[in-house]
Amino acid sequence: MIAVNPKLLPLLPRFGIQLGFGDHSIGEVCRANGVDTRLFLLICNIYTNDEAMVHPKDIEAIDMDGLLPYLLASHRYYLDERFPHIEEHLEHIINAAGPKYGNMLNHFYNEYQQEVKKHFKYEEEEVFPYIESLRKGQSTNNFSISQFRVNHSNIEDTLEDMMNILVKYLPGDILPKERIEISTDIIELSADLISHSLIEDQILIPYVETLENAKQ
């Protein structure tokens, strides 16, 4: 599966699965790491096909204990690994570009990063504790998952502005090799974040709706 779609490789540590799994099957590797195989395959399917649709019966049939830990691990991956990696290379380009383009790049990147961090903070401080309370059958506040649905912000415009500077407007002699590398990194991060949002839309929200309906 990894050989067919290498973009699934970064998902493994988010499930606590390490490399070196030999010739074991997907089910064997998942069981050895305490991961529900159906949840693992469902998430991999969304990362493989962004038009994949999840049937409500699939949600009901799957053990969702690992969903929130997976989402939290994804947050840590973006904040602790992907953003610092991009920042390290972007700093070289900003310094070489001078104030005219460097300030704009810095502005759009910071705006992009802050929007992502704001979304993660909202999930970790408001949404996830609410879901945990529902799962435990505890009384909850007036929050509902429908509020989370409308809080999905669109940051693609900010990303497009930053990519336009890197690819179209920055003079060609300013670190062209590094610009291609960082542009690729940003595109990959953006695609990963889109898949992350799809998981929330296709799996998390329907799952929480079933918890809310059961509570009524």
Side-chain angles (χ1 to χ4, degrees):
M1 185 170 68
I2 297 296
V4 172
N5 188 5
K7 70 180 289 189
L8 296 176
L9 198 57
L11 268 64
L12 299 180
R14 303 181 211 178
F15 283 103
I17 298 174
Q18 302 301 322
L19 300 182
F21 36 74
D23 295 322
H24 292 292
S25 69
I26 294 171
E28 290 170 339
V29 173
C30 285
R31 285 190 293 273
N33 289 275
V35 177
D36 185 272
T37 305
R38 292 172 299 178
L39 177 62
F40 176 79
L41 290 174
L42 191 61
I43 289 176
C44 287
N45 186 40
I46 291 175
Y47 267 83
T48 301
N49 178 14
D50 57 11
E51 296 183 358
M53 298 298 294
V54 180
H55 196 279
K57 290 185 178 179
D58 294 332
I59 302 294
E60 296 173 4
I62 293 175
D63 181 355
M64 290 292 172
D65 285 353
L67 181 58
L68 290 187
Y70 166 83
L71 294 174
L72 283 167
S74 295
H75 290 184
R76 301 280 72 77
Y77 168 74
Y78 299 130
L79 297 178
D80 298 341
E81 296 184 41
R82 297 309 301 163
F83 278 126
H85 174 77
I86 289 173
E87 288 166 13
E88 181 180 352
H89 294 283
L90 187 62
E91 185 178 357
H92 300 161
I93 297 170
I94 289 173
N95 291 337
K100 179 181 178 181
Y101 294 106
N103 290 342
M104 284 191 291
L105 275 174
N106 191 54
H107 167 75
F108 287 128
Y109 176 75
N110 285 336
E111 186 176 342
Y112 176 67
Q113 184 188 56
Q114 289 307 313
E115 280 297 316
V116 174
K117 288 182 176 181
K118 179 182 176 182
H119 179 74
F120 290 168
K121 183 178 180 181
Y122 171 67
E123 289 183 348
E124 294 177 11
E125 295 183 358
E126 300 289 338
V127 182
F128 293 172
Y130 167 73
I131 297 171
E132 287 289 4
S133 295
L134 278 179
R135 284 169 50 83
K136 294 175 182 177
Q138 298 173 350
S139 60
T140 57
N141 54 24
N142 293 325
F143 184 85
S144 73
I145 201 64
S146 61
Q147 295 171 245
F148 170 67
R149 190 194 299 272
V150 300
N151 267 282
H152 267 192
S153 56
N154 180 15
I155 56 174
E156 294 307 307
D157 291 342
T158 301
L159 181 64
E160 183 178 352
D161 290 332
M162 182 168 59
M163 290 296 295
N164 281 337
I165 297 172
L166 283 168
V167 176
K168 295 171 65 175
Y169 301 124
L170 205 60
D173 59 348
I174 297 179
L175 303 178
K177 183 176 182 293
E178 194 158 6
R179 279 160 62 188
I180 290 174
E181 291 174 352
I182 196 171
S183 296
T184 301
D185 285 342
I186 292 170
I187 290 168
E188 290 176 351
L189 172 62
S190 177
D192 200 321
L193 285 167
I194 289 171
S195 296
H196 182 79
S197 293
L198 284 172
I199 287 169
E200 294 172 344
D201 291 338
Q202 295 277 350
I203 302 177
L204 181 68
I205 291 175
Y207 168 59
V208 179
E209 287 175 341
T210 63
L211 295 177
E212 290 177 337
N213 292 334
K215 185 174 178 290
Q216 294 176 355

